[in-house]
Each structure stands twice: as structure tokens, then as C-alpha cells.
Amino acid sequence: MSDATTQSPEADHGMLEAAGKDAAPRVPAEALPLVPAAAPSWDAPQTPLMRQYAAAKQQNPDALLFFRLGDFYELFYEDARVAARELGITLTSRDRERGVPMCGVPFHAADAHIARLLRRGFRIAVCEQMADPKQTKGIVPREVTRVLSPGTVLDHTLDAGENNFLAAIHVWQRGAEHARTADAERSPDKVLEKAARATATVAALALLDLSTGEFRTSEWSGPAAIAQCADALANAGATEVLLAAHNPLLLGEESTMRALERIRTKTTLDAWVFTADYALPLLEKQLSARSLEGFGLAGHTAAAIAAGAVLHYAQSTQRSALQHIDTLRFEERSQHLQLDAVSVRNLELLEPLFRGANESAHIATLAHTLDCCQTPMGKRLLRATILRPLADPAAIRARYAAVAELRAHLILREELRRALGNVLDLERLLARVALENAGPRDLLSLGSSLRALPSLCATLQQLQQAPWSQVCGRMHSLTNELAALEQAISTTLVAEPPVTIAEGGVIAPGVHAELDTLRTSSGDGRSAIVAIEERERARTGVASLKVRYTSVFGYYLELTRANLRHVPADYERKQTLVNAERFTTPELKELEHRILSAHDRSVAIEKQLFADLRASVLTSAAAIRSTSTLLAEIDLLANFAHLAAERDYCQPVLVEGEASLLEAAAARHPVIESIMQRNGLGRFTPNDVYLDSESSSILLITGPNMGGKSTYLRQAALLVILAQMGCFVPATSFRYSLVDRVYTRIGASDNVAQGRSTFMVEMTETATILNTATARSLVLLDEMGRGTATFDGLALAWSVLEHIHNTIHARTLFATHYHELTNLATQLPHLRNVRVSVKETPDGIVFLHAIEPGAANKSYGIDVARLAGVPQRVLARARQVLRAHERAERHELAAELAPATEPLQLTMFTPLSQRIVDRIESTEIDSLTPLQALNLLQELQEELRISKASA
């Protein structure tokens, strides 16, 4: 690492004198991951600079302190050890006597290093020089200008298609004392009801993406409030969560703890931050509102408190007014189809179930499959819409109409998508301007994006459907409002500005008269420097003489030691090097002063003009945010139209009425179909789905492993989610009624850390479904009961099916290997058997991946094991054991599962004969090959022979 002090005027202050031996306080466990180390004893003798460092570190003990020294950010003591380890940079010491560890990074390259630390969960405090060292006598004043954390990242390393949410959870319990006596006098029943509500648990979640300004909050109440809040937190994918100190309601809830496990950075705030007296006024001031009722927060104090806590943390870390955060949205559950964290994971909506070492596993997600959006705002809206599909029929049908029209017009669709492709991330550009992190190129990008709006409006004007005409009108108005800003940006900035404003060269010629004059003067001065160099070479006869410049020593004449005898008498020695000497002259000093004065004045003017331009952007912040929101909606609908045209998706038909309908003809799985087409694996086998609460609300699906049962289940759920997003679906036709919530119980997982076995996880998820599903829900149950003994699992599966059929009446797809469950079709009128078709060949079985009516008569588990490579000897023995168990259990199981209301049936056969009769009766003769029929006859004869011998 370079020596920062060689370029700093503070080198003479003994700035790196050791402050004593290491011995610092431990970081609170609630705020992990933090700097796990000790700081020095600040009572030891310190230099002025180290007193600055100590003060900044004591204010931010849980953050790595990036301390600005000249051209570097330096870290000391344990901060240095941590940073050196995490960043792979050299750990050194500037004071070898006392052994103060340190490391550093160049300030112009610090963003990449900081981003790397943030991704690993650390917090960063940035301590900047608050004055120009050249203009300061003594030590330069320094302050912590911002505190960065994973939830407040603003740099360009963020994924353009994903939000970076900072979350806050607030949980409290209403007191029964809120029930009024007057209510009791009017109605005893009402006061009991109110008292029940008064003692209910309330949980709230607030989410803020500081990089875009998206700010929303939600609230739940009742026994499942904390679990529902935890689901929303898990789905949001927050990178940092804020918690109130010592909240037993929150920390004692298992579902919340599971959700928190996925978030690496958990920051604890003082309890007073999570109070109405503090949080509500803070919100009102930020939103410039006298009341929060206009934001939907009337009666939702917990949601407002959570939002206030997020805002408090953002303001305290950014040291900024956050001018781009000017609205807050309260989300009602009824506005969206509800998807819990289990369903989001099982359906692989955003993340694959099994990523492993395969970095391309993300292509197996719905989000990746649907993402053909042209703008970052559209990509983020797509992910949000996947997690929160619509539940308003009018809004859904409006999207269908817009998508249908654009799908039918290829040229308009491509023109619109091309125009959208010229728009950059308006939300994040605005946020960088508001937080004073925007450079010249950011403003230029903002201007180029605004320049693309007129052509986009011209395309929108050619569309006729109401959604498009409404969007077009609003977009046209905003485009006119922002035209002056776009003109100001394009005329103020040069076409290719530098990254920062620090050295000028950003403002275009003709913008400021004095600036143009100073630039001319500076240019003339540099020409004079060239002339001096040529003249002095001729005068001294030294062809290698050079006139050079450094920020520390200014302009100087440099000659090698071999040419020192040619130095004129009027040269003044300025610096001695190993192989050269540096000199100056009165003429060069005067010229240097004139050039540097002009340059400094030019940079000052450019900084002021650039600040004025940023201020102009902020005055239009509301219009830019509105434009960004509209562009995201346009991009989403254009994306849906593109998918419908390119992938032959059909328009869903939303029906309303008493019955809960789900009817799909020749439906395909959108993700698997896309992967198969991309990899040249042939065509996906389509299947029909029909569920109707008045006839067949439950499909009981049987068939072998690998036959496609799980795919069929997931496919049905994805079609519903797509339809309620307003997207067309992969089918030849699709009719449905609204779904309020999708539940899934698919696959096997455990949670050893929480002491939960695979079967316990399965039962917990099943309990959630049985306790909260409604007749409007869609329930997917796959292999329920397989985590315990056969009869236990069968009994539970049997009972669950009966409860869903008789009590909940939800549309349900139930895949199972318990063939005994197929008998329920004779007892439950709304249950229908379907099976995955399989073709048997002399070489084994062939999966047809088609769903057909009827129940499967065998599971083919041994055949699948053969395909997996299980040794033949093991397979042969497995067949023997299977036949023995089937003979022993078939009769007893049939008798136990008979309905209790049926009279006992006497039989003229012995138990042995009855088992043979049952075996023959259950055999589908038409499906038997000649060889299988001979084998069956041989087995029956053998059974009779054994029976006679034992008798």
C-alpha cells in the first residue's frame, strides 16, 4: 500500500502515533455481523489526528471506520485486521514501536471494496475531510458523513432487477383496557368481541429500498400475525432488518426466527425508536403531511411505527433529508393473492430449490422465465407482481385488455420495447441525486432517459384500449413537465464527462462566461509552460530537461544529476531526488500561480453549476418518480404481450359466481417448457386441469415417481399466479375464478437448528393449510404423510382429504403413493381420481407424462429404482418382499378402511380365498401383457399350493 502521508499536509502531526494497547468493548450480539474486535484504550496519549479517529470510532463502534487521509481511506486497530482479512489486502503498521495495525484503500477505488464488505454483512462508517487541506492551517476537520449497511447500499453493484430492502418489524400486544365501558352498556357481545381484539397480537412490517425510494408497510393482527409478518419478510428478500431491543413477543416466535435466519444483518435499535410519539411525527415531517390517514394508515399505528423506525435508521445513516422518499404505501392483504414463504420456495418463483454449485440454476425460476423486461424498473415490478398477484377483477381484466391489444400489433409492440430499452434506472438515478452521490455521468444518464420519453408517448398514442390511453395521457403530461429539465441537462454537461466533478471538465462551453474565460487563461498558461520548456532546453543545452507538475510541489524544472553542471544561476533548488534535482524560477512561480488560480476558480464554478443542476433535478423529483412508476407498468404489460406472442400464451377468462372454477385445456408448465425449448429437449407434454367446487374440487393424483405428478401440481399453481398477475398463460384455454391464497406442501425438508424433523415441518405446513385455507384457495399437497410409518401416514392423508372435502371445500390437487386413498372416490362425491400414464415395455417402463382419468394400480417404485441403477439382486429381493406384504395386508387394510356406516358384509370365502378374489378383482386385465398375465396366474397358484400344504 502506498504511503498516504507523503501527499498529505498532515504528515507533521505525528498522526499515527500509537494510542496504547488493544482493549476494546465487545459488539452487541443483536447487531451481528459487526466488527468482532477490540479497539485501543483511548485514555492513552494521542496525537490530534488520532483523537479525531477515536471520536469517530466511539460514535460508530459497530462499524468499520474508513478514515480519510489524503488520497486514501485508512483503517486502524481491529478494523484494519478485519478489512485486511476480508479484502485480501496487506496489513501493515505505521508505528512500529507501538505496533498500531493499519491498512488502507485508495479513495477513488473505495466503492468496490466497501461494496464487498457490505455484501458480507458489515457496516461501514465513512469519515471524510471536511475542508481542503491546502486551505487549512493545522489539522483538517473530519466528520462521519454517512454510515453504510447492507440495507442502505446505493452503489452500482446492486442487481438492477431486484430491490434492496431495509426492513423493520414491530410487534406489540393491545391491552384489554382499551375496551370501553360504554360499549359494554350498549352490547355485552360487542365488548367481548372488542376485548378479544384488544388483547390480540399486532405485527407490522415496513420495507424501504433506499436506492429507489420504494416505501411500503403492512400490518397483521390475530394469533397468526407474527407468522404472517415473517412470511412477508421472507418473501421480500430484505438484506437488513431492524429490531427493537428486548422484544420478547418477537424473539420468542419460531416463525419469525426462521425468517430472520435468512437475513445476515440484524440491527437492534433503542426501544424509543419504536414508539408512536417518535415515529409518527417523523413520518409526517418526511411526507409533508399533517396526518397519515391519506396514506391508508388510519387505525394502523403499528405499521406507521415500523415505517418510522426504517425512516429513522435511513436518516441517521445517510445524514441526509432523503428528498426522494416522498410517499408511503400501506398494503392491505385483500389487494393481492397471498403467497406464504413456503409456497414461494416450493414453486421456485424467485429462487431455485437446489442451487448447489450450479450458478445457472436461477433459470429454473418463474421470475427468470418471465423476465423479458427492458427497464430495471420493469424488472423489479415483475418480481413484485409475482410475489403479490392482483386480487381485483377489474384491474386484472384491464391488464388482459392491454396485453391483448399489444400482442396483436407486432410493430407497435417492438417500437414500444425499443423505446423502453433507451430508458435507464430513473429510480436509482434520482436516489443518487437526492443523497448527493450522483456524479456527472449519472445526470447525463438521467437526461438521456428523459430524452426517450417523446418517442415512447408517440407509440402509446396509437393504442386504443383504456389502460393504454390512460397511461398515455399521464405520460404525455409528465414528458412535457420534464422537457425543461432534459434540456438543462443536455446543454449544461459535456457529452462525455469524467466520473467525478473533482477536477472539473464537466460543464459544457458557453454555459458560463467567466468559466470560459478562465479556461482560456488556463489553456494559455499551459501553452506558456510548453514554451518555457523549449526555451530552457535551448538555454541550458540539456535536451532531457522537463517541466513537470505534481499536486504537492506544483510546477518545476527537472534535470538529471549528470546535467547539474548546466544549471543556470537563477534556478532555485526545490527538491532533491536520488537521480535528479528539481528547480523553479520566478517566472515559473508566477505562471504556476496564474494557472492554478484559474483552475481552482474554474473547478469552484463547475461545482456550483453542477450543484444547481442537481437542485433542479430534485425540484422535479415527484415527476421523475411518477414517470418511473408509469414506465415500470408499461414495461410490465409490454413484457406480458411479448411473452404471449412469442410463446403462444392464451388470454385467461375470469369468471365470477358461486362456484370456484379452475379449467385449463392443454396447459403447460411455463418454466419447464422454456428450459426444454432452450436446450432442444423436445416439446412439453400438455395436460388438462379441471377443478370445480360443485362437481370435482379435489383431484387425487396417483402414479410412479418421475411420472410428473409434482410438475402437474406446480403447473396448476403457476397458471393461477400468472393469470392473476394479468399475464396470459401457457394453455389453449384457461377459465378460472379468483384465488385468495395458494398453499403448497411439496417436497421434504427439515430444520435441525429449531429441532424440527422432516415430518414435523410437513405437519406444521399441513396445519397451516387446514387452519387458514378457504373455499377460494388453491391447495397443493404432494406425498403427504410419507415422513412417518405407512399406516400413520395413510391415516393422516385420508383424514386430511376428508377435512378438505367436507369442511374447507378448497380446490385441491393431492398427489400420493397411497393407492388405498383412491377408494375415497366412492365416498367423497367431489373427489376424482386421475393418474400419470405409464407404458410398460419388455425393457421397462416409459413415462408418458400425461394425466388421464382413473387410479394407478401400481407405483412402479422398483422399476424406478432399476432406472436409477440399483443392483439386480436387490431389485429381485425387493419384488419378493413386496409380494409378501401385499398378500398379507391387502385384505386387512380393505376391511379397516370401509365406511363405519356400512353393515358388516359376510363372505362365503376363507380369508385366503378372499385375498385371491380381491387380487383378481383389482387387476386391470386390459392393461396386462401376456407375460404379466402368466406371472399373475403362477403367483395365485403358488399361493393356493402353499395354503393347502400348511393346512
Side-chain angles (χ1 to χ4, degrees):
M1 187 193 70
S2 300
D3 188 340
T5 59
T6 59
Q7 300 183 34
S8 172
E10 299 173 7
D12 296 332
H13 289 287
M15 58 181 150
L16 299 177
E17 182 177 321
K21 62 182 180 179
D22 295 346
R26 287 282 178 181
V27 177
E30 294 85 355
L32 290 174
L34 304 172
V35 183
S41 172
W42 303 121
D43 295 331
Q46 300 174 37
T47 63
L49 185 131
M50 289 309 293
R51 283 198 293 271
Q52 277 189 340
Y53 174 83
K57 182 62 182 176
Q58 287 175 324
Q59 292 172 4
N60 302 273
D62 59 351
L64 296 172
L65 182 62
F66 275 57
F67 193 74
R68 180 71 180 271
L69 287 179
D71 292 337
F72 279 78
Y73 285 116
E74 303 285 2
L75 297 95
F76 299 101
Y77 298 101
E78 193 61 30
D79 285 8
R81 294 190 182 99
V82 172
R85 181 185 69 241
E86 297 292 333
L87 298 176
I89 58 180
T90 302
L91 180 67
T92 184
S93 173
R94 294 300 305 277
D95 189 325
R96 298 186 184 277
E97 261 190 65
R98 304 199 181 219
V100 177
M102 67 171 290
C103 69
V105 297
F107 83 96
H108 62 272
D111 285 349
H113 296 292
I114 290 175
R116 186 173 173 183
L117 291 169
L118 290 172
R119 283 195 297 271
R120 298 188 180 186
F122 293 97
R123 299 178 76 229
I124 310 292
V126 181
C127 188
E128 293 285 5
Q129 296 175 167
M130 305 307 293
D132 187 346
K134 298 176 183 177
Q135 309 297 326
T136 304
K137 292 185 178 180
I139 192 166
V140 177
R142 290 179 174 83
E143 292 180 12
V144 174
T145 57
R146 55 192 173 129
V147 178
L148 305 176
S149 63
T152 59
V153 177
L154 296 170
D155 59 66
H156 297 292
T157 63
L158 292 174
D159 190 321
E162 298 183 20
N163 287 103
N164 184 58
F165 280 123
L166 170 68
I169 294 180
H170 178 53
V171 180
W172 65 296
Q173 207 163 35
R174 294 190 182 102
E177 66 274 7
H178 293 298
R180 296 179 181 175
T181 305
D183 291 333
E185 294 175 356
R186 288 195 300 268
S187 170
D189 292 338
K190 284 188 176 180
V191 76
L192 289 174
E193 179 185 348
K194 186 166 185 178
R197 292 199 310 270
T199 57
T201 298
V202 179
L205 172 69
L207 297 168
L208 170 64
D209 185 345
L210 195 61
S211 71
T212 66
E214 182 176 347
F215 194 15
R216 53 187 168 91
T217 185
S218 304
E219 184 180 293
W220 299 264
S221 61
I226 298 179
Q228 292 168 333
C229 180
D231 272 336
L233 174 65
N235 287 345
T239 54
E240 182 176 4
V241 62
L242 309 176
L243 309 170
H246 312 301
N247 190 330
L249 289 174
L250 177 64
L251 298 180
E253 176 65 31
E254 182 180 340
S255 59
T256 309
M257 298 307 294
R258 292 200 306 272
L260 293 176
E261 286 174 3
R262 303 179 61 186
I263 302 176
R264 183 169 183 179
T265 305
K266 293 171 275 290
T267 303
T268 301
L269 302 181
D270 292 333
W272 58 263
V273 176
F274 289 85
T275 61
D277 290 341
Y278 175 76
L280 272 60
L282 185 68
L283 273 179
E284 291 169 353
K285 181 179 179 181
Q286 178 69 33
L287 302 175
S288 302
R290 292 187 176 183
S291 169
L292 298 177
E293 291 186 9
F295 299 92
L297 289 170
H300 299 292
T301 305
I305 290 174
V310 168
L311 183 61
H312 161 83
Y313 184 76
Q315 288 181 345
S316 62
T317 56
Q318 300 304 303
R319 310 295 207 272
S320 169
L322 309 181
Q323 295 182 46
H324 66 303
I325 301 174
D326 54 10
T327 188
L328 172 64
R329 187 171 77 255
F330 178 74
E331 290 193 337
E332 295 276 6
R333 288 185 61 195
S334 59
Q335 296 173 343
H336 305 288
L337 184 159
Q338 298 298 305
L339 293 166
D340 58 24
V342 172
S343 297
V344 171
R345 183 179 68 251
N346 286 337
L347 296 174
E348 298 182 289
L349 299 184
L350 302 180
E351 299 291 337
L353 278 173
F354 306 105
R355 182 183 296 274
N358 185 3
E359 291 299 324
S360 64
H362 68 283
I363 67 173
T365 63
L366 184 65
H368 181 272
T369 300
L370 299 183
D371 188 4
C372 295
C373 293
Q374 299 297 297
T375 68
M377 299 86 73
K379 292 176 182 292
R380 292 193 291 269
L381 180 59
L382 174 64
R383 290 176 66 91
T385 306
I386 290 174
L387 291 175
R388 300 188 301 281
L390 301 175
D392 180 9
I396 294 173
R397 290 193 176 100
R399 283 189 175 178
Y400 290 162
V403 173
E405 181 179 15
L406 195 58
R407 177 190 185 180
H409 293 85
L410 171 62
I411 295 178
L412 288 181
R413 185 173 72 247
E414 292 307 312
E415 287 179 354
L416 186 62
R417 285 168 52 80
R418 190 179 303 112
L420 288 167
N422 294 323
V423 178
L424 302 178
D425 200 335
L426 289 180
E427 289 179 329
R428 286 186 171 158
L429 289 171
L430 177 61
R432 291 179 66 81
V433 172
L435 297 170
E436 299 184 359
N437 289 326
R441 295 181 183 178
D442 292 322
L443 289 194
L444 202 66
S445 297
L446 178 62
S448 67
S449 298
L450 298 180
R451 199 175 308 124
L453 299 183
S455 63
L456 189 143
C457 287
T459 303
L460 289 174
Q461 287 176 343
Q462 302 178 58
L463 298 170
Q464 306 299 320
Q465 287 292 329
W468 292 120
S469 59
Q470 293 168 3
V471 167
C472 181
R474 293 162 60 196
M475 183 59 71
H476 185 73
S477 174
L478 290 168
T479 300
N480 291 336
E481 183 178 348
L482 294 171
L485 176 61
E486 185 278 320
Q487 182 67 18
I489 293 174
S490 62
T491 57
T492 301
L493 301 179
V494 297
E496 297 182 2
V499 176
T500 69
I501 188 70
E503 295 300 322
V506 170
I507 305 301
V511 174
H512 194 279
E514 183 184 356
L515 177 62
D516 291 342
T517 301
L518 290 170
R519 284 174 171 171
T520 301
S521 175
S522 180
D524 292 344
R526 288 185 172 82
S527 298
I529 290 292
V530 174
I532 289 175
E533 184 180 68
E534 293 177 353
R535 189 186 68 218
E536 292 302 313
R537 283 178 178 176
R539 177 186 172 190
T540 61
V542 179
S544 62
L545 181 148
K546 294 182 177 62
V547 177
R548 290 180 171 175
Y549 170 82
T550 68
S551 59
V552 176
F553 295 101
Y555 285 98
Y556 55 84
L557 297 153
E558 184 174 284
L559 290 88
T560 61
R561 285 189 173 276
N563 292 305
L564 290 182
R565 64 182 184 277
H566 301 296
V567 173
D570 60 339
Y571 277 24
E572 302 175 16
R573 181 173 276 103
K574 196 168 189 177
Q575 186 184 22
T576 300
L577 303 178
V578 176
N579 296 315
E581 293 280 344
R582 293 175 177 176
F583 302 89
T584 187
T585 65
E587 179 188 19
L588 192 58
K589 286 181 181 179
E590 180 182 354
L591 190 57
E592 175 186 328
H593 176 73
R594 181 156 53 91
I595 292 174
L596 295 183
S597 296
H599 178 263
D600 291 345
R601 175 60 182 159
S602 297
V603 171
I605 292 174
E606 289 204 48
K607 287 182 177 179
Q608 183 58 52
L609 292 174
F610 187 73
D612 293 343
L613 186 59
R614 286 198 304 195
S616 299
V617 172
L618 290 179
T619 60
S620 302
I624 294 173
R625 280 189 54 79
S626 298
T627 300
S628 179
T629 301
L630 278 179
L631 288 171
E633 182 71 18
I634 293 169
D635 195 13
L636 182 72
L637 296 177
N639 181 57
F640 287 168
H642 173 77
L643 293 173
E646 293 294 315
R647 302 181 186 177
D648 193 26
Y649 288 4
C650 75
Q651 179 174 339
V653 176
L654 177 57
V655 299
E656 297 183 63
E658 295 294 330
S660 294
L661 176 68
L662 178 57
E663 179 187 56
R668 293 113 55 198
H669 192 295
V671 178
I672 297 177
E673 179 183 51
S674 176
I675 293 174
M676 291 177 67
Q677 291 176 349
R678 185 183 299 113
N679 297 327
L681 300 177
R683 296 183 58 190
F684 183 87
T685 303
N687 283 296
D688 298 340
V689 181
Y690 186 84
L691 293 170
D692 185 347
S693 60
E694 292 185 347
S695 58
S696 58
S697 60
I698 301 177
L699 290 184
L700 184 64
I701 310 160
T702 51
N705 286 315
M706 297 178 60
K709 297 193 300 297
S710 296
T711 297
Y712 186 67
L713 266 64
R714 290 185 171 94
Q715 173 180 305
L718 294 181
L719 293 180
V720 168
I721 291 170
L722 283 173
Q724 292 194 211
M725 288 169 58
C727 182
F728 287 15
V729 301
T732 57
S733 68
F734 186 76
R735 297 171 64 240
Y736 74 108
S737 54
L738 279 180
V739 173
D740 62 357
R741 186 163 177 175
V742 173
Y743 295 88
T744 65
R745 162 82 284 284
I746 299 173
S749 63
D750 58 20
N751 192 329
V752 178
Q754 296 292 331
R756 289 152 50 90
S757 66
T758 298
F759 185 65
M760 184 60 182
V761 171
E762 177 182 343
M763 288 299 101
T764 301
E765 295 173 359
T766 303
T768 299
I769 296 172
L770 299 181
N771 290 323
T772 58
T774 71
R776 292 178 55 203
S777 302
L778 176 64
V779 177
L780 310 179
L781 292 168
D782 189 14
E783 303 300 343
M784 209 208 92
R786 300 292 287 185
T788 186
T790 301
F791 290 124
D792 280 353
L794 174 59
L796 284 167
W798 188 288
S799 181
V800 165
L801 272 173
E802 288 183 337
H803 182 77
I804 293 175
H805 181 277
N806 298 330
T807 305
I808 301 176
H809 312 294
R811 287 163 284 185
T812 303
L813 297 175
F814 194 109
T816 185
H817 278 96
Y818 292 133
H819 293 169
E820 296 82 357
L821 293 176
T822 59
N823 295 324
L824 281 170
T826 62
Q827 302 175 36
L828 305 179
H830 295 163
L831 183 146
R832 185 161 57 94
N833 284 321
V834 295
R835 65 188 175 204
V836 178
S837 58
V838 175
K839 181 180 180 181
E840 295 189 48
T841 69
D843 296 328
I845 58 174
V846 177
F847 300 110
L848 301 181
H849 304 294
I851 302 296
E852 60 187 15
N857 62 349
K858 56 187 299 187
S859 64
Y860 298 98
I862 295 176
D863 296 274
V864 174
R866 184 184 64 81
L867 293 176
V870 174
Q872 288 294 330
R873 184 174 180 179
V874 175
L875 297 176
R877 176 57 180 162
R879 290 190 178 94
Q880 292 177 350
V881 175
L882 176 63
R883 285 195 295 267
H885 278 283
E886 286 178 341
R887 286 195 298 267
E889 295 177 0
R890 188 180 303 276
H891 175 69
E892 290 82 353
L893 188 59
E896 288 291 335
L897 298 181
T901 56
E902 294 183 5
L904 181 62
Q905 297 293 320
L906 299 178
T907 175
M908 60 183 291
F909 297 103
T910 65
L912 174 63
S913 302
Q914 183 63 48
R915 287 201 298 270
I916 295 175
V917 170
D918 290 342
R919 181 83 177 275
I920 295 173
E921 187 177 22
S922 65
T923 300
E924 294 187 13
I925 297 176
D926 292 339
S927 64
L928 293 178
T929 64
L931 179 58
Q932 289 174 329
L934 288 173
N935 289 336
L936 175 60
L937 184 58
Q938 183 181 3
E939 290 174 10
L940 296 177
Q941 283 182 338
E942 182 66 22
E943 188 170 350
L944 286 171
R945 187 179 300 112
I946 294 173
S947 175
K948 289 179 180 180
S950 61

